[in-house]
């Protein structure tokens, strides 16, 4: 892969149109603004990140997380762009200096496809087909489609949300630039070639991804049926690093605010990212600034850790640039940073798994969310299977017109159900669940 071809402002679905512009924004800034003002992005404010919204203590939801990831992604991209332009002055007058904007935009979009209730929502959609009442559908759909829905993944759903032409919508979906779209495909292979549940695009968007890959010069590493995969687009590593940095470190801060972790535990985990000299400097700065509030101390430590990890990831990317462009780099940037920071990150991950992700509030919302999602899937699939029934017609009437839920094709109808339910917010999913189950009525 080469940088000149990798950074393209060509737009999906508008390749042959001459678009009139009324301002000086770059195409990549237009992508960013388009996402900021979109309904799917706004809905992230009511989608669980890790913790259920606790009321008096403000913790992260998908929206605040995405904004923070975009901020870190902008820094990563800008640092990489400066380094590449410094090394090769020919890049200065190209689109390469826009890398920071591209990465920031992709960071805004990286969680758009996540269903309500996080991973329990994903699991509810998957298991409806593998363990629930949807198992009978296996013989009625193609193997590729079956693989898509039984491995349903928020990553692939994000690409679909941005690229798919939903009913009544324009060609190319959001009509994003090719570089922005490529930057969110963390797993560049279809579900049927996925070793686990994670994959990059549904069969319905495969041709769209192939067009993006061809335009940007992303090579296909394996064309064997059932094993197809492409090289990772280089900017994906920066989007992934920004996400890795934010969710791990911000989860620690949230856990401290919710008193799951003590102040001592939190500060120890964060200081371990630094050697003794840096730790002493940080302590001196806290003392010099007369920070006595424990929340302020944790916030300062968090900022120091994020800055350290950002620098480490930039260094790792530049050291492995050749392998990244060849498609031979293995693992994530975080997995290849310096030993001290890598060990400290692993220690944080272990604490997160043992103390945060298995905490009572998190497990409670996952259990409830799973039941809500499973019920919605069951009722909506039954409705599209028997649309002649009165109750089915009532349910189908709730679905937005952009979803082709009345199609003659079964796979299209099933995907419409998945699109509708996965696009809900946590509160809306709960509201629909309560209403269709007769638990709450708008007049009572």
């Amino acid at each position: 892969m080469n940088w000149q071809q990798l950074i393209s402002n060509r737009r999906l679905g508008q390749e042959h149109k001459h678009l009139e512009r009324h301002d000086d924004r770059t195409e990549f800034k237009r992508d960013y603004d388009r996402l900021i003002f979109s309904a799917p992005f706004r809905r992230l404010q009511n989608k669980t990140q890790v913790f259920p919204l606790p009321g008096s203590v403000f913790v992260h939801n998908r929206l605040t997380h995405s904004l923070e990831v975009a901020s870190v992604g902008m820094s990563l991209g800008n640092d990489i762009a400066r380094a590449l332009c410094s090394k090769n002055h020919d890049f200065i007058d190209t689109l390469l200096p826009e890398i920071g904007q591209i990465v920031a935009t992709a960071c805004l979009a990286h969680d758009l496809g996540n269903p309500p209730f996080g991973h329990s929502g994903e699991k509810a959609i998957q298991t409806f087909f593998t363990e629930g009442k949807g198992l009978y559908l296996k013989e009625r759909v193609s193997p590729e489609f079956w693989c898509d829905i039984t491995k349903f993944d928020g990553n692939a759903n994000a690409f679909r949300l941005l690229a798919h032409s939903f009913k009544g919508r324009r060609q190319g979906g959001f009509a994003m630039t090719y570089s922005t779209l490529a930057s969110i495909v963390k797993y560049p292979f279809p579900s049927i070639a996925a070793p686990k549940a994670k994959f990059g695009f549904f069969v319905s968007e495969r041709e769209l991804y192939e067009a993006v890959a061809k335009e940007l010069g992303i090579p296909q590493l394996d064309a064997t049926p059932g094993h197809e995969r492409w090289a990772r687009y280089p900017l994906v590593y920066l989007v992934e690093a920004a996400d890795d940095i934010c969710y791990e470190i911000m989860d620690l801060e949230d856990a401290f605010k919710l008193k799951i972790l003590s102040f001592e535990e939190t500060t120890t985990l964060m200081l371990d990212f630094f050697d003794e000299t840096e730790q002493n400097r940080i302590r001196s700065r806290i003392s010099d600034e007369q920070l006595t509030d424990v929340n302020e101390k944790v916030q300062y430590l968090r900022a120091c850790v994020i800055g350290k990890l950002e620098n480490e990831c930039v260094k790792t990317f530049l050291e492995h640039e050749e392998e990244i462009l060849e498609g031979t780099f293995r693992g994530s940037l975080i997995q290849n940073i310096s030993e001290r920071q890598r060990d400290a990150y692993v220690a944080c991950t272990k604490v997160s798994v043992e103390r945060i992700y298995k905490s009572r509030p998190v497990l409670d919302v996952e259990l409830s969310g799973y039941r809500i999602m499973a019920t919605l899937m069951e009722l909506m699939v039954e409705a599209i299977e028997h649309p002649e029934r009165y109750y089915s017609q009532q349910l189908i009437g709730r679905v937005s017109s952009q979803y082709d839920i009345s199609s003659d094709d079964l796979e299209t109808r099933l995907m419409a159900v998945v699109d509708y339910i996965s696009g809900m917010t946590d509160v809306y999913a709960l509201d629909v669940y309560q209403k269709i189950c007769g638990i709450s009525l708008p007049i009572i």
Side-chain angles (χ1 to χ4, degrees):
M1 293 179 277
N2 70 83
W3 285 114
Q4 299 277 34
Q5 185 178 3
L6 285 168
I7 310 301
S8 169
N9 58 11
R10 191 179 189 191
R11 291 190 174 279
L12 184 69
Q14 298 184 349
E15 293 86 351
H16 306 295
K17 295 181 180 179
H18 177 70
L19 303 176
E20 187 177 349
R21 300 305 187 200
H22 302 285
D23 54 50
D24 295 328
R25 291 178 299 162
T26 68
E27 295 304 313
F28 306 118
K29 181 61 167 67
R30 292 176 191 280
D31 281 352
Y32 186 91
D33 294 344
R34 192 169 292 180
L35 281 177
I36 284 285
F37 287 92
S38 70
F41 185 73
R42 287 197 300 276
R43 286 197 290 267
L44 293 177
Q45 69 183 301
N46 193 235
K47 287 196 176 186
T48 301
Q49 175 62 16
V50 173
F51 301 102
L53 302 181
S56 60
V57 180
F58 186 77
V59 294
H60 291 82
N61 55 38
R62 293 280 178 187
L63 182 70
T64 51
H65 168 71
S66 296
L67 290 169
E68 288 166 350
V69 175
S71 178
V72 174
M74 177 73 82
S75 297
L76 286 166
N78 284 341
D79 287 351
I80 294 298
R82 275 193 295 269
L84 294 176
C85 290
S86 176
K87 188 168 61 173
N88 186 340
H89 294 299
D90 291 340
F91 289 157
I92 295 175
D93 294 324
T94 69
L95 295 174
L96 206 74
E98 294 291 326
I99 285 178
Q101 184 67 73
I102 298 168
V103 174
T105 304
C107 289
L108 287 183
H110 82 284
D111 271 350
L112 284 186
N114 284 15
F117 310 109
H119 295 302
S120 62
E122 281 183 329
K123 188 58 69 174
I125 293 173
Q126 295 166 6
T127 55
F128 168 76
F129 296 105
T130 58
E131 302 174 8
K133 294 188 177 181
L135 183 59
Y136 76 96
L137 293 163
K138 182 176 183 180
E139 306 305 320
R140 299 177 56 190
V141 297
S142 68
E144 293 80 9
F145 182 82
W146 183 252
C147 208
D148 279 353
I149 57 179
T150 55
K151 291 183 178 180
F152 174 85
D153 180 51
N155 294 281
N157 203 38
F159 186 78
R160 175 177 171 82
L161 195 61
L162 292 181
H164 184 75
S165 299
F166 289 96
K167 190 176 178 183
R169 303 297 178 91
R170 65 181 165 189
Q171 193 70 24
F174 274 59
M176 307 295 278
T177 61
Y178 280 31
S179 289
T180 296
L181 285 172
S183 297
I184 70 166
V185 183
K186 191 175 177 181
Y187 308 100
F189 42 79
S191 62
I192 203 161
K196 298 180 181 179
K198 300 295 183 183
F199 61 101
F201 44 85
F202 296 117
V203 65
S204 51
E205 285 73 56
R206 174 174 174 148
E207 289 186 6
L208 296 178
Y209 178 75
E210 288 177 338
V212 170
K214 183 178 180 181
E215 168 73 13
L216 301 180
I218 303 172
Q220 187 171 7
L221 302 179
D222 192 338
T224 309
H227 300 278
E228 305 100 321
R229 64 182 56 238
W230 283 257
R232 260 187 167 192
Y233 183 64
L235 301 192
V236 166
Y237 289 101
L238 302 181
V239 176
E240 180 182 45
D243 188 29
D244 287 345
I245 291 169
C246 286
Y247 81 73
E248 191 59 67
I249 306 308
M250 300 312 299
D251 285 354
L252 291 181
E253 185 178 344
D254 282 347
F256 165 69
K257 288 181 178 179
L258 294 173
K259 303 187 186 310
I260 294 172
L261 295 178
S262 69
F263 174 72
E264 291 73 21
E265 289 173 314
T266 307
T267 54
T268 297
L269 286 167
M270 291 187 175
L271 284 171
D272 280 348
F273 282 90
F274 307 94
D275 61 28
E276 187 175 351
T277 300
E278 291 174 308
Q279 288 184 21
N280 289 333
R281 179 185 57 79
I282 291 170
R283 291 191 181 98
S284 295
R285 180 69 184 275
I286 289 174
S287 177
D288 293 343
E289 295 286 338
Q290 297 182 341
L291 298 181
T292 57
D293 182 86
V294 292
N295 289 305
E296 194 71 17
K297 290 181 180 179
V298 168
Q299 289 170 19
Y300 177 69
L301 284 169
R302 173 257 296 158
C304 292
V305 173
I306 289 177
K308 185 68 173 178
L309 289 174
E310 194 266 338
N311 289 333
E312 282 289 320
C313 287
V314 168
K315 183 179 74 172
T316 301
F317 186 97
L318 294 172
E319 287 175 350
H320 296 277
E321 179 193 355
E322 186 175 338
E323 297 163 64
I324 289 171
L325 291 176
E326 289 175 350
T328 58
F329 183 68
R330 293 290 174 263
S332 65
L333 295 180
I334 282 286
Q335 291 170 333
N336 287 274
I337 59 178
S338 301
E339 185 177 5
R340 174 181 287 276
Q341 286 73 42
R342 186 174 67 248
D343 290 347
Y345 188 90
V346 170
C348 289
T349 302
K350 185 177 180 181
V351 169
S352 295
V353 171
E354 294 175 354
R355 300 279 299 283
I356 300 175
Y357 306 144
K358 293 182 181 179
S359 65
R360 180 75 175 270
V362 173
L363 292 178
D364 284 349
V365 78
E366 286 188 350
L367 287 169
S368 300
Y370 183 92
R371 174 56 58 194
I372 291 168
M373 293 289 287
T375 302
L376 293 179
M377 285 295 299
E378 180 180 330
L379 293 174
M380 289 304 304
V381 169
E382 184 179 355
I384 65 164
E385 278 284 81
H386 304 283
E388 73 285 353
R389 296 176 181 174
Y390 172 77
Y391 188 60
S392 297
Q393 293 172 17
Q394 301 300 102
L395 287 176
I396 291 172
R398 295 187 63 95
V399 180
S400 170
S401 61
Q402 67 177 304
Y403 305 126
D404 196 2
I405 202 158
S406 299
S407 170
D408 293 333
D409 179 65
L410 175 61
E411 291 185 4
T412 302
R413 296 201 306 274
L414 287 172
M415 205 63 207
V417 169
V418 172
D419 288 332
Y420 171 59
I421 294 176
S422 66
M424 293 179 175
T425 64
D426 294 13
V427 168
Y428 184 67
L430 173 61
D431 180 59
V432 172
Y433 170 81
Q434 289 177 329
K435 283 184 170 64
I436 64 180
C437 290
I439 298 172
S440 72
L441 295 172
I443 58 173
I444 296 178

